[in-house]
Amino acid sequence: MLYRHGDVLVQSVSEQSVSDLPAAHPRPGVTLARGEVTGHSHRFRDAASVQLYTVGADTYAQVLAESAELIHEEHATITLPRGLYKVWMQREYSPEAIRRVLD
Amino acid sequence: MLASLGTGSLSAAQAKEVILSGQVGGPLSFRGRLDLSGEKNLRLPDHLSGDTLDISGTQLSALPEHLQVGELIAKNLPLSEVPASLRVQFRLTLDGCARLQHLPQNLTVGSLSLQDCLSLETLPEGLNVCFLNVSRCEALVNWPRQAEVRFGHLLARDCLSLRGLPSWLNQLAQLDLSGCRGVTALPPHLKISGWLDVAGSGLTALPAQRPALRWRGVRISERLAFEPETISGVEIVAEPNTEVRRVMMERVGYERFLDEVGARVLDRDTDAGGERVLVRVELPEDEPFVAVCVSCPSTGRRYTLRVPPTITRAQAASAWLAGFDEPSLYRPAVEA
């Protein structure tokens, strides 16, 4: 099941628990992403209902309660049932040929 | 056998063998570059010293006491803090240590890189460095009352919580504030001898000292940085430098650019936010500009987002933006 919360994508994964993910480390807080322009954030309403994890460069959210509410100042709330979710941000395209000044 | 090698130093290869045997006690000294990156179940002795040590991706959750090296590369570790006894002379790299919350007071090192340390809210009092990289430290909000970045670089790309720069910042060669929306002014006495990157920052005018400007690495003019409303779509298409042209499009806004140059509609359909349109603009000596125009289902606000020029369907554009190269796999059940 895939959820879109603005530019944040949340997908339930087949693993039922974070213990199924090797090298998962707890990440403090309940914020998935902060908005660059507004300072608003995609976050869970109740800190006790969810634990975030990092697995390498990936982020996972384990919903510990029956459900957890994903909130944002401007987006409608999304309710996620208990389970494990992979979280990522929408990507942007820019031409690969673009050279960046690296010095 | 417990290898306790108090005097003399080992080559990096010898030191690696001894450490991986798991039977080492400190002190231990090595020469050259000791690469232990990716080693599982790594244990390091206290009083380890040497030239360059790489322990990236080892799952170490704590550094040993009295570690003393020229360079320490410790990327992507689950560290929450760094011991006060750590001594690094030249370069300390802690990129991607997402749990890191505390650094020791008076930390002194030539170059300190803390990129992607997502939990770091503050830097230590008395920090003393020449080069500091805090890019994408999204939680970083507090600067120390007293610290120094001595004449070098301060790279603070996408520090979304920052609301300003400290007054002790006097002279820098390079300052990257791209994406720091909350930074709206520079310290009045700050001198920048090289360049200032202002892309997406809160700065709305060039500081009095007038350093060279960049927009995420691209050299740009003051007009492009701070007066984008004076730039026309025709001017953008005529710009010969593709890097500058891309920045011009970003500054003017894709919506106005498309309005002014006239875009060809490739596809249109409907998603959770309403009408979704895929458009294309040909650019001289460059790949075409292809973008999808969508509405947010919660706010109704319109967004125009650039996608790869190979995309021909609006749904495939949304799928690509969401991270799916195969459009049929993108089927969001809930959108808000």
Side-chain angles (χ1 to χ4, degrees), chain B residues 155-176:
Chain B
L155 308 180
R157 187 172 278 205
D158 297 321
C159 289
L160 303 177
S161 302
L162 274 187
R163 294 293 175 267
L165 293 175
S167 58
W168 46 257
L169 212 52
N170 288 322
Q171 183 152 11
L172 291 170
Q174 302 173 0
L175 175 57
D176 187 347

Side-chain angles (χ1 to χ4, degrees), chain B residues 185-332:
Chain B
L186 298 180
H189 303 296
L190 175 62
K191 290 189 169 63
I192 301 168
S193 58
W195 50 257
L196 168 66
D197 199 315
V198 295
S201 74
L203 298 177
T204 53
L206 197 60
Q209 188 251 324
R210 308 181 85 80
L213 291 178
R214 296 193 177 192
W215 192 273
R216 291 202 183 270
V218 179
R219 291 186 180 89
I220 60 163
S221 66
E222 187 176 343
R223 175 179 171 235
L224 181 47
F226 301 122
E227 298 169 10
E229 67 281 358
T230 66
I231 294 169
S232 70
V234 172
E235 214 177 324
I236 294 173
V237 174
E239 167 57 47
N241 183 310
T242 55
E243 294 168 316
V244 175
R245 186 194 297 148
R246 183 176 58 84
V247 177
M248 290 169 103
M249 288 195 285
E250 184 183 337
R251 294 297 291 133
V252 162
Y254 292 155
E255 287 80 2
R256 180 156 75 83
F257 171 68
L258 291 171
D259 279 349
E260 292 188 14
V261 300
R264 181 159 62 95
V265 174
L266 294 181
D267 186 32
R268 65 172 85 226
D269 63 7
T270 302
D271 73 351
E275 187 182 48
R276 179 167 60 182
V277 186
L278 186 71
V279 297
R280 178 179 172 110
V281 177
E282 302 300 331
L283 297 172
E285 297 179 31
D286 194 8
E287 66 180 48
F289 175 90
V290 177
V292 64
C293 309
V294 295
S295 295
C296 170
S298 295
T299 64
R301 196 177 297 155
R302 290 292 283 176
Y303 292 95
T304 300
L305 302 158
R306 191 167 184 178
V307 296
T310 51
I311 287 177
T312 56
R313 310 288 297 180
Q315 189 274 340
S318 290
W320 186 90
L321 290 165
F324 293 84
D325 292 322
E326 171 50 54
S328 65
L329 297 177
Y330 177 63
R331 292 189 300 274

Side-chain angles (χ1 to χ4, degrees), chain B:
Chain B
M1 181 188 71
L2 182 69
S4 183
L5 300 153
T7 57
S9 66
L10 303 180
S11 71
Q14 289 170 321
K16 184 170 184 174
E17 191 176 336
V18 168
I19 288 172
L20 293 184
S21 74
Q23 296 181 306
V24 65
L28 178 68
S29 178
F30 65 92
R31 302 181 302 274
R33 182 187 177 91
L34 175 51
D35 185 356
L36 297 167
S37 61
E39 294 290 348
K40 306 299 179 210
N41 306 314
L42 181 67
R43 284 179 52 236
L44 291 175
D46 290 340
H47 296 277
L48 176 64
S49 63
D51 296 327
T52 297
L53 175 64
D54 188 347
I55 51 172
S56 301
T58 57
Q59 300 176 29
L60 275 179
S61 58
L63 298 180
E65 289 294 335
H66 303 288
L67 177 61
Q68 185 169 346
V69 290
E71 179 176 7
L72 176 63
I73 307 161
K75 297 182 190 175
N76 304 317
L77 296 187
L79 302 174
S80 57
E81 60 185 1
V82 169
S85 63
L86 176 70
R87 296 287 178 271
V88 179
Q89 189 174 1
F90 304 113
R91 187 194 302 266
L92 173 56
T93 302
L94 296 165
D95 297 350
C97 292
R99 295 173 67 185
L100 185 68
Q101 289 179 287
H102 301 290
L103 289 164
Q105 286 200 3
N106 302 314
L107 179 64
T108 299
V109 61
S111 173
L112 176 61
S113 188
L114 299 166
Q115 198 166 286
D116 296 303
C117 289
L118 300 173
S119 304
L120 194 66
E121 295 180 5
T122 188
L123 294 167
E125 282 298 327
L127 178 72
N128 191 330
V129 294
C130 291
F131 302 92
L132 177 61
N133 184 352
V134 289
S135 294
R136 291 187 299 282
C137 288
E138 295 185 356
L140 183 65
V141 65
N142 293 317
W143 294 97
R145 288 186 304 278
Q146 289 297 327
E148 280 194 71
V149 180
R150 286 174 276 122
F151 311 113
H153 308 172
L154 174 55
L155 308 180
R157 187 172 278 205
D158 297 321
C159 289
L160 303 177
S161 302
L162 274 187
R163 294 293 175 267
L165 293 175
S167 58
W168 46 257
L169 212 52
N170 288 322
Q171 183 152 11
L172 291 170
Q174 302 173 0
L175 175 57
D176 187 347
L177 289 176
S178 55
C180 296
R181 175 62 56 182
V183 178
T184 56
L186 298 180
H189 303 296
L190 175 62
K191 290 189 169 63
I192 301 168
S193 58
W195 50 257
L196 168 66
D197 199 315
V198 295
S201 74
L203 298 177
T204 53
L206 197 60
Q209 188 251 324
R210 308 181 85 80
L213 291 178
R214 296 193 177 192
W215 192 273
R216 291 202 183 270
V218 179
R219 291 186 180 89
I220 60 163
S221 66
E222 187 176 343
R223 175 179 171 235
L224 181 47
F226 301 122
E227 298 169 10
E229 67 281 358
T230 66
I231 294 169
S232 70
V234 172
E235 214 177 324
I236 294 173
V237 174
E239 167 57 47
N241 183 310
T242 55
E243 294 168 316
V244 175
R245 186 194 297 148
R246 183 176 58 84
V247 177
M248 290 169 103
M249 288 195 285
E250 184 183 337
R251 294 297 291 133
V252 162
Y254 292 155
E255 287 80 2
R256 180 156 75 83
F257 171 68
L258 291 171
D259 279 349
E260 292 188 14
V261 300
R264 181 159 62 95
V265 174
L266 294 181
D267 186 32
R268 65 172 85 226
D269 63 7
T270 302
D271 73 351
E275 187 182 48
R276 179 167 60 182
V277 186
L278 186 71
V279 297
R280 178 179 172 110
V281 177
E282 302 300 331
L283 297 172
E285 297 179 31
D286 194 8
E287 66 180 48
F289 175 90
V290 177
V292 64
C293 309
V294 295
S295 295
C296 170
S298 295
T299 64
R301 196 177 297 155
R302 290 292 283 176
Y303 292 95
T304 300
L305 302 158
R306 191 167 184 178
V307 296
T310 51
I311 287 177
T312 56
R313 310 288 297 180
Q315 189 274 340
S318 290
W320 186 90
L321 290 165
F324 293 84
D325 292 322
E326 171 50 54
S328 65
L329 297 177
Y330 177 63
R331 292 189 300 274
V334 179
E335 294 182 77

Side-chain angles (χ1 to χ4, degrees), chain A residues 2 4 88 91 93 99 101, chain B residues 243 287 320-322 325 333:
Chain A
L2 177 66
R4 170 191 277 282
W88 70 93
R91 60 182 166 178
Y93 179 77
R99 279 183 300 107
V101 181
Chain B
E243 294 168 316
E287 66 180 48
W320 186 90
L321 290 165
D325 292 322

